[in-house]
Amino acid sequence: MMRTRPLQVALLGCGVVGSEVARIMTTHADDLTARIGAPVELAGIAVRRPGRVRAGVPAELITTDATALVKRGDIDVVIEVIGGIEPARTLITTAFEHGASVVSANKALLAEDGAALHAAAEERGADLYYEAAVAGAIPLVRPLRESLAGDTVNRVLGIVNGTTNFILDKMDTSGAGYSEALDEATALGYAEADPTADVEGFDAAAKAAILAGIAFHTRVRLDDVHREGLTEVTAADIASAKRMGCTVKLLAICERAGDGRSVTARVHPAMIPLSHPLASVREAYNAVFVEAEAAGQLMFYGPGAGGAPTASAVLGDLVAACRNRLADTTGPGESAYTRLPVSPMGEVVTRYHISLDVADKPGVLAQVAQVFAEHGVSIDTVRQQGKDGEASLVVVTHRAPDAALSATVETLRQLDTVRGVASIMRVEGE
């Protein structure tokens, strides 16, 4: 028999995502009721600016007192889409203390304090769902937590930020420089007025921390993730990638070590071959490549941001949390039993593409090769072009510890015959 008393939902935040959540909950109320097994209704919507016009959002539900809303004893699920660390953290823990489950899209908070939030939810017998925190509408968190729970995931490689993918795609297809591509992304609404979180890799790093923790059943925080943005990527880097049959993407890479005793998580620009599935991901789309022992290679693709796509993920979690309330149970919590350490970037085995400006005279190539040999780095390919006493030397290495590659570059900078290091970029996907 279907429960008749509606499940009560509190919504924290009514911006681009929150307003879309409210709209869908209102217009698809009958469908949600049928899927959940009981009516579900908005009990209140907490906002900072109550006077703002919000089309389709009932004005009587608007409040500025978020704390009072989550403290109501009749709230079954709290949806948090305000972002940031505070007051979101306090509001979520308060919601748990008052018996509510939580659906969040807050990647920054989960990457910073996910373990404590999971512990608070478990203590109160509540759910914590966050599909929308990683890759928008793309189902990724649930497949990793549930569908692949019986498998061993060894690698997660992906494009998890639409703004940076749009910028790099425009640089690749139109020949635009970074600033021009960023201006276009801003004009189209893909980039914020302050794009730092996106272009410096903070957004992708938070998502990498969440993905690594779920995939490898260990705790990975934002501080554990090596992060490099794309602000230093130049048109020359894009051109070099094309000559190699590659393109440049800002990648989030989470890996289990070959011996299974540690994990790594990193975000940085990288060249990937045009034959790799991620190379064809264009515009502001996201895609994540998962490699598991039994399942093999899986790819998840779709819009990684935006009001409607993110709201889709939020509502999927809402349905799951409400079903659990009706069944008096909870879904999967934190799985961190492996307690694997996170290795520093210097221990990660990578490949480098290095472009040097050198003197065009005999012996330079041998001198450069000697530096690589001294640091135990093997050269895969080398290309040299020279004219009028100046030359460019492009070296692609075999895989080696990142610390050895970095030390090689620093030694090269000290050579009298090396005028400068034009570009350095890692090579992935091979």
Side-chain angles (χ1 to χ4, degrees), residues 144 151-154 156 210-218 254 256:
L144 287 172
D151 205 341
T152 299
V153 176
N154 291 318
V156 179
I210 296 169
L211 290 174
I214 299 171
F216 307 135
H217 304 277
T218 194
C254 312
R256 186 191 301 268

Side-chain angles (χ1 to χ4, degrees), residues 353-366:
H353 172 282
I354 305 168
S355 180
L356 304 171
D357 294 327
V358 299
D360 186 15
K361 62 182 183 180
V364 173
L365 178 57

Side-chain angles (χ1 to χ4, degrees), residues 4-299:
T4 56
R5 183 180 71 79
L7 289 154
Q8 299 295 305
V9 177
L11 177 60
L12 308 182
C14 199
V16 173
V17 176
S19 59
E20 193 67 17
V21 169
R23 183 191 68 78
I24 296 174
M25 285 189 66
T26 301
T27 58
H28 294 265
D30 291 342
D31 288 335
L32 290 172
T33 297
R35 294 166 190 174
I36 291 169
V40 58
E41 66 180 25
L42 279 169
I45 304 172
V47 300
R48 285 182 296 180
R49 295 184 291 274
R52 181 179 174 184
V53 177
R54 297 172 175 87
V57 177
E60 65 272 15
L61 295 179
I62 298 296
T63 177
T64 57
D65 195 343
T67 301
L69 180 59
V70 299
K71 281 185 174 181
R72 282 177 43 171
D74 64 335
I75 299 297
D76 293 288
V77 180
V78 170
I79 298 175
E80 182 271 311
V81 288
I82 56 178
I85 305 301
E86 289 292 355
R89 174 165 47 199
T90 298
L91 290 169
I92 288 174
T93 54
T94 301
F96 288 141
E97 290 168 1
H98 287 78
S101 290
V102 172
V103 171
S104 176
N106 196 329
K107 52 189 169 289
L109 178 57
L110 288 159
E112 178 73 24
D113 215 16
L117 295 179
H118 275 291
E122 183 177 2
E123 180 182 356
R124 298 291 177 166
D127 275 320
L128 174 61
Y129 281 101
Y130 44 91
E131 185 67 67
V134 181
I138 304 172
L140 186 59
V141 172
R142 187 169 285 109
L144 287 172
R145 290 175 82 177
E146 300 178 32
S147 303
L148 296 173
D151 205 341
T152 299
V153 176
N154 291 318
R155 195 170 195 234
V156 179
L157 170 74
I159 298 164
V160 295
N161 182 275
T163 300
T164 53
N165 198 58
F166 179 89
I167 292 170
L168 289 171
D169 184 44
K170 289 303 171 184
M171 292 177 70
D172 181 74
T173 57
S174 70
Y178 165 76
S179 296
E180 297 170 273
L182 174 59
D183 288 344
E184 185 174 353
T186 303
L188 292 172
Y190 292 129
E192 301 288 343
D194 179 2
T196 302
D198 293 321
V199 300
E200 294 294 353
F202 290 101
D203 176 86
K207 295 169 181 176
I210 296 169
L211 290 174
I214 299 171
F216 307 135
H217 304 277
T218 194
R219 287 178 178 169
V220 179
R221 299 179 71 251
L222 181 59
D223 291 345
D224 296 321
V225 181
H226 174 83
R227 176 192 54 79
E228 298 173 28
L230 55 73
T231 55
E232 301 300 319
V233 177
T234 66
D237 293 325
I238 302 295
S240 292
K242 284 186 174 182
R243 284 193 291 270
M244 287 180 59
C246 294
T247 188
V248 177
K249 298 292 185 183
L250 186 76
L251 298 178
I253 306 170
C254 312
E255 295 177 303
R256 186 191 301 268
D259 61 8
R261 296 180 180 177
S262 64
V263 300
T264 61
R266 51 196 165 106
V267 168
H268 55 71
M271 296 181 180
I272 58 172
L274 294 176
S275 58
H276 194 281
L278 292 179
S280 62
V281 178
R282 300 295 185 186
E283 299 285 334
Y285 278 79
N286 286 191
V288 178
F289 207 66
V290 177
E291 299 176 10
E293 287 189 5
Q297 297 179 332
L298 308 170
M299 184 168 169

Side-chain angles (χ1 to χ4, degrees), residues 309-320:
T310 306
S312 172
V314 168
L315 289 164
D317 281 349
L318 174 64
V319 169

